[in-house]
Structure formats: structure tokens, C-alpha cells
Amino acid sequence: MLRKKEKQVTMASTSSNHTTLIARQTEVTGDIHFRGNLVIEGKVKGNVSAHSDSDARLQIVDGGVIEGEIRVPQVVINGNVNGDVFAARHLELASKAMVEGNVHYKLIEMMKGAQVNGALLSNADLSSAGETPMIGYTEDETVIEAS
């Protein structure tokens, strides 16, 4: 009897976190809750969130677009965001970043050429109890996790 071998493909990983990719010319409509790493090359129309206690990382590459609110501990933006950004730990605005909304951060890196049309609001002085709340998970929600 022949068995079909299953092959696991991972794009990239840091530690035990896996990466999910939304490729160019792909459009996702609806909210995304994730763990691990999420790379946006395409377009997302909806909110993107990860639990604030996680090591989740969102990367929006040049040409990537999010139309909605972002609530992720670590965020790297080099594309377009139309909505508020909440980075509980670290936010990097690369040279082609364009944000239309308020940016809440604990630690920020901003490269020459990055643009923000909204307020930059530091949360560095807040205690963990006063940290900007991230959306948690319930059993009814779908979690995207690459393996």
C-alpha cells in the first residue's frame, strides 16, 4: 500500500513562529486575527489584530495595503495603511510607509520618507495595566496560522 507523503512548507520563521503571506494581487475582505508573522503584499479590507501578549509581527511591504485598524505588538510598515495603528511594543515606519490615521506606539523607528497623516501618540509611559488593549481570541473566531 502506497502512502502519500505530506510536505510541510514554511516561508520563514523566527523561533517557533510561522509566517502567513497575503500575496500581491490578493484581496482579503474581513478581519484577520493571527499569531506568528503576517506579511501583507496584497490588500486587506478589514481590521488586523493579534493578542498583545504574543510575539506577533505584522509586515506590510511596498505595495501592500490595509484599510482598517491594526492592533499588533510589532509592526513594520512600508506600504499603505488607512486606519489607526496600535503597536504595543515596536513600530517601524520604513521609507515608503503612508499612514492615514493615528499611530499609537511604545517604541518607534521612522525612516526618511515615511508619512503619517494623523497623530503620533506615545504609550511608553503607560504601565502594562494601561497598555492599549489588543483583541483577544474566542473559540468562535477563525485564527490564521501557517504550519
Side-chain angles (χ1 to χ4, degrees), residues 47-122:
N47 300 327
V48 177
S49 63
H51 198 274
S52 62
D53 293 338
S54 71
D55 287 332
R57 183 176 185 267
L58 170 67
Q59 180 179 0
I60 306 163
V61 300
D62 184 19
V65 177
I66 294 182
E67 294 179 2
E69 185 177 85
I70 296 172
R71 288 183 179 268
V72 178
Q74 300 177 60
V75 182
V76 177
I77 301 173
N78 199 27
N80 296 339
V81 175
N82 188 1
D84 291 346
V85 177
F86 295 84
R89 293 190 188 148
H90 181 258
L91 171 67
E92 180 181 330
L93 299 172
S95 62
K96 295 184 180 178
M98 170 65 95
V99 179
E100 294 281 338
N102 296 328
V103 175
H104 304 258
Y105 62 91
K106 184 169 186 177
L107 176 66
I108 189 170
E109 292 181 57
M110 190 169 183
M111 305 304 229
K112 181 179 178 180
Q115 299 177 38
V116 176
N117 188 11
L120 293 173
L121 304 163
S122 173

Side-chain angles (χ1 to χ4, degrees), residues 11 18-24 26 28 37-42 59 61 144 146:
M11 300 209 31
H18 298 286
T19 298
T20 301
L21 170 68
I22 297 178
R24 294 193 191 284
T26 301
V28 175
N37 300 308
L38 175 61
V39 178
I40 308 286
E41 293 181 352
Q59 180 179 0
V61 300
I144 298 174

Side-chain angles (χ1 to χ4, degrees), residues 29-41:
T29 302
D31 295 345
I32 298 176
H33 308 282
F34 74 98
R35 293 183 180 144
N37 300 308
L38 175 61
V39 178
I40 308 286
E41 293 181 352

